[in-house]
């Protein structure tokens, strides 16, 4: 399978509004020039905007496993789909949820035809959520998120352990490496450790030269 770069725009100013559109276009060009797969992970309120401006797949930064009804302020799977998204993430370290939430989100995402990526802070949590059968699990030690040392360099054993443990539960789940990824080498190591791609934010979104940062990261897939 072709490795994937998941790019989380978070709520950075550089990943919002017209700047988010420019970044999405930059990613689209980089993906086509290098024949790479990039998925843009954006805030729910900007899904329609970004999905309408790019051919790249767009994921929501959150999803609630709820149905149409009297809920207020939650993220309805059908609405995410109609906004043009192909999937969603849940349980990011900056927006943690319970296993019950994850289970419902996975079930509803499957029902409406969205892919789901669950973030997990440890191998233990990854194994707990793997039983629900998400499409992807992103392993992200919280202390390395936004830092300068990548998980694949600082804690490679966490990644290889997690890959093994998750595959024991469900071989179909693709494991993604996240936290502090910034260089070609970080990405290469992540792939060597058996993961199907990387989950990146600050290394690209906050980079002085986003184009150069993207190129550096995508080179790790070659
Ligand atoms: O969502 C991806 C993220 O948590 C990793 O962030 O800034 O360490 O690339 P960053």
């Amino acid at each position: 399978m072709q490795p994937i770069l998941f790019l989380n725009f978070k709520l950075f100013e550089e990943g919002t509004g017209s700047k988010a559109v420019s970044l999405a276009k930059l990613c689209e060009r980089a993906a086509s020039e290098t024949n790479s797969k990039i998925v843009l992970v954006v805030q729910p309120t900007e899904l329609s905007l970004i999905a309408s401006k790019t051919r790249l797949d767009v994921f929501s930064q959150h999803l609630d496993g709820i149905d149409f009804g009297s809920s207020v302020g939650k993220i309805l799977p059908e609405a995410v789909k109609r906004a043009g998204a192909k999937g969603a993430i849940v349980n990011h370290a900056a927006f943690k949820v319970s296993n019950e939430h994850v289970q419902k989100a996975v079930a509803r995402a499957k029902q409406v035809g969205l892919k789901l990526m669950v973030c997990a802070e440890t191998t233990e949590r990854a194994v707990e959520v793997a039983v629900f059968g998400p499409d992807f699990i992103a392993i992200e030690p919280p202390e390395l998120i936004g830092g300068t040392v990548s998980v694949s360099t600082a804690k490679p054993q966490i990644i290889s352990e997690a890959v093994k443990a998750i595959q024991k539960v469900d071989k179909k789940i693709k494991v993604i490496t996240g936290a502090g990824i910034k260089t070609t080498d970080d990405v290469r190591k992540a792939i060597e450790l058996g993961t199907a791609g990387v989950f990146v934010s600050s290394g690209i979104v906050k980079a002085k030269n986003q184009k150069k940062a993207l190129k550096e990261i995508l080179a790790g897939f070659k």
Side-chain angles (χ1 to χ4, degrees):
M1 194 201 92
Q2 189 182 19
I4 309 175
L5 163 61
F6 288 89
L7 180 59
N8 195 347
F9 286 28
K10 296 200 172 168
L11 298 192
F12 289 129
E13 199 181 345
E14 296 85 344
T16 304
S18 59
K19 290 182 180 165
V21 173
S22 306
L23 181 54
K25 292 204 179 293
L26 197 69
C27 290
E28 188 174 295
R29 269 198 302 278
S32 95
E33 281 166 18
T34 58
N35 197 22
S36 311
K37 182 156 175 62
I38 305 180
V39 174
L40 309 177
V41 183
V42 307
Q43 54 177 310
T45 48
E46 296 203 334
L47 285 172
S48 296
L49 171 70
I50 305 301
S52 70
K53 300 283 186 193
T54 175
R55 291 189 301 273
L56 297 177
D57 286 355
V58 177
F59 273 35
S60 171
Q61 288 175 355
H62 182 69
L63 185 88
D64 290 292
I66 50 162
D67 290 296
F68 287 105
S70 59
S71 301
V72 175
K74 296 204 170 171
I75 309 298
L76 181 70
E78 281 81 356
V80 167
K81 176 96 178 173
R82 282 179 200 163
K86 291 287 185 336
I89 71 163
V90 290
N91 197 46
H92 189 275
F95 194 173
K96 292 175 70 60
V97 296
S98 65
N99 285 351
E100 193 194 348
H101 185 120
V102 172
Q103 182 172 21
K104 286 184 182 158
V106 172
R108 291 284 288 118
K110 280 191 204 301
Q111 238 174 35
V112 305
L114 289 169
K115 299 273 182 210
L116 201 84
M117 177 154 81
V118 181
C119 303
E121 59 281 26
T122 59
T123 299
E124 292 69 37
R125 188 76 195 279
V127 168
E128 284 169 26
V129 298
V131 299
F132 307 134
D135 301 281
F136 302 93
I137 294 181
I139 303 294
E140 295 203 297
E143 69 280 9
L144 297 177
I145 293 177
T148 48
V149 182
S150 81
V151 59
S152 42
T153 304
K155 298 195 168 170
Q157 71 288 357
I158 291 197
I159 304 298
S160 38
E161 261 170 40
V163 170
K164 248 193 236 154
I166 292 167
Q167 287 183 345
K168 242 190 214 165
V169 180
D170 185 344
K171 281 203 167 43
K172 293 190 295 301
I173 300 173
K174 295 174 189 73
V175 184
I176 303 296
T177 302
I181 305 260
K182 288 190 171 56
T183 68
T184 302
D185 205 41
D186 293 337
V187 178
R188 263 192 204 129
K189 280 190 188 138
I191 304 299
E192 275 166 24
L193 292 167
T195 56
V198 291
F199 197 15
V200 179
S201 183
S202 55
I204 293 172
V205 184
K206 297 293 285 177
K208 273 201 190 102
N209 185 337
Q210 292 175 328
K211 191 175 170 186
K212 202 168 149 216
L214 254 172
K215 217 175 145 195
E216 167 84 23
I217 283 179
L218 292 175
F221 289 157
K222 300 292 158 209

